[in-house]
Amino acid sequence: GIVGNTHNTDHSAILGYLTDSTVEGNRSSNDTLNTSFTTTGMELHCRGTVVKGNRVKNCTIGILLAGQVTDLQDNIATSNILTNVDIGFSYWNGVFAVGSMTVDNLKIDNNIIILSEQSDSTDGGIVPGTIEGPITNSSFDGNNISQIGALSANGQNPKGVFLAWAEDCSISGNKLKNLSGKGIEVSNSSTSRSMKRIKIHDNQIRDIGLGGVAGNDYAIHAKGLSSSFVAFDISVKTNQITGGFGEAIVIDGYVNGPVVRDNSIKPSTLNPVTFLNFNATNIQEGGNWVEASGAQPSTGFYVNGTIIKNNLASELGGSPNKYIIEGWRRLNNGSAHVNSVDWVPMKTFTGN
């Protein structure tokens, strides 16, 4: 294995070709961030390897995980701290590899990633490099991802976690905050490949899209490129989304069987659940709480089952039938806002 080393101001400071090994407790930094070449804290071509407890700072890429001469398989990256990096983890199965390979059983879990202020739209906390095969049976869970200077990073727009060609993967239990771009993106638009059975559950996402542009910055974005490359069975459940700029949850393009349920959205300028291009089919949506208003919505597009929580509730009516309006439930998909047609108040009687 590679254990307990310290390196400074090197390109690919720690470079290893590893099988069934441990990379632990190393320190890597580069004091010349944004030089003319790409600086990588750790470049690991590995299989069956545990990468844990390492610290990387001031690098373009914190840790690069790549295929060796076989698949990038059965690797675990956990409890690493990556600070002031344009990209936290970059996973590859092309260029360095021989032929087309898969990424299978990759676990990038429970790491701390602090992106640099200049981290841009091709960068992010956990993002693919060159991908020539699918990512399967992998998890990107429990990570804490944020960005330095997100409020002033206008137009940079990095992603928290990004999957571009994946099947049977999980993005769950992450804490994403203060990013100038998107929180979680699952999209096959750059690869024109399959996207199937992705779980996006129990994430806490706060203040995404700071300094960004409305319509481009989403807390959670799932996209299917076309009728030939559909995204199947994307599950977006029990996430907590607070603040930010742009849209909270966006289902975009050709997505079959998306589940968007039981999410809590407390927007400042966020729109809640949005379906773009209207090519989604077999939608399972409902139980999403949007804590936003003291009145029934009068503008915007909403999907059936959305619940707007009343944050100015008070007791109404006369004795003995006094009640509280807990919120308003959407009855259809659309942008009309007629009481008892498009929305219905959710009343709870108090007994007074």
Side-chain angles (χ1 to χ4, degrees), residues 72-277:
L72 179 61
Q73 186 173 13
D74 299 328
N75 296 291
I76 299 172
T78 186
S79 303
N80 300 283
I81 300 176
L82 314 178
T83 306
N84 197 31
V85 293
D86 290 352
I87 297 173
F89 287 91
S90 180
Y91 53 91
W92 298 60
N93 64 351
V95 181
F96 297 112
V98 178
S100 177
M101 306 190 306
T102 62
V103 178
D104 184 67
N105 196 28
L106 172 64
K107 299 182 183 299
I108 302 179
D109 300 336
N110 303 311
N111 301 280
I112 296 174
I113 303 168
I114 302 175
L115 298 174
S116 68
E117 187 170 352
Q118 61 269 9
S119 182
D120 64 26
S121 59
T122 61
D123 300 333
I126 302 171
V127 297
T130 298
I131 294 296
E132 296 179 358
I135 306 153
T136 58
N137 304 306
S138 296
S139 64
F140 308 87
D141 298 344
N143 299 286
N144 192 323
I145 303 174
S146 60
Q147 184 183 12
I148 298 170
L151 282 170
S152 61
N154 188 21
Q156 302 294 7
N157 303 326
K159 305 170 180 68
V161 181
F162 177 38
L163 297 184
W165 179 359
E167 298 179 9
D168 300 298
C169 291
S170 170
I171 306 173
S172 299
N174 298 286
K175 294 183 178 180
L176 311 178
K177 64 179 181 179
N178 299 335
L179 296 175
S180 64
K182 297 179 182 179
I184 295 170
E185 181 168 16
V186 174
S187 170
N188 59 9
S189 60
S190 63
T191 58
S192 299
R193 298 291 184 175
S194 62
M195 187 71 69
K196 300 177 182 178
R197 298 178 299 277
I198 311 298
K199 293 196 308 182
I200 305 172
H201 293 179
D202 302 310
N203 298 284
Q204 298 179 34
I205 305 175
R206 189 183 75 190
D207 295 333
I208 299 299
L210 299 177
V213 179
N216 293 315
D217 299 320
Y218 316 128
I220 297 174
H221 183 206
K223 182 176 182 179
L225 174 63
S226 68
S227 58
S228 299
F229 301 105
V230 178
F232 289 93
D233 300 327
I234 309 299
S235 177
V236 182
K237 295 176 64 176
T238 56
N239 299 284
Q240 299 178 30
I241 302 172
T242 305
F245 185 81
E247 280 70 41
I249 300 173
V250 174
I251 306 300
D252 187 359
Y254 293 82
V255 183
N256 190 320
V259 178
V260 186
R261 300 189 63 88
D262 303 321
N263 299 284
S264 174
I265 303 168
K266 300 178 181 179
S268 54
T269 55
L270 283 168
N271 294 320
V273 181
T274 304
F275 286 79
L276 297 178
N277 302 319

Side-chain angles (χ1 to χ4, degrees), residues 5-43:
N5 297 280
T6 300
H7 294 269
N8 183 57
T9 317
D10 289 318
H11 170 52
S12 296
I14 296 175
L15 171 63
Y17 290 80
L18 306 162
T19 300
D20 300 328
S21 300
T22 297
V23 180
E24 180 178 6
N26 299 284
R27 304 289 183 267
S28 179
S29 65
N30 192 306
D31 296 330
T32 57
L33 183 66
N34 288 332
T35 55
S36 58
F37 56 88
T38 299
T39 59
T40 302
M42 305 176 70
E43 181 179 322

Side-chain angles (χ1 to χ4, degrees), residues 299-310:
T299 60
F301 179 91
Y302 292 85
V303 295
N304 193 341
T306 299
I307 297 171
I308 304 296
K309 187 175 181 180
N310 184 3

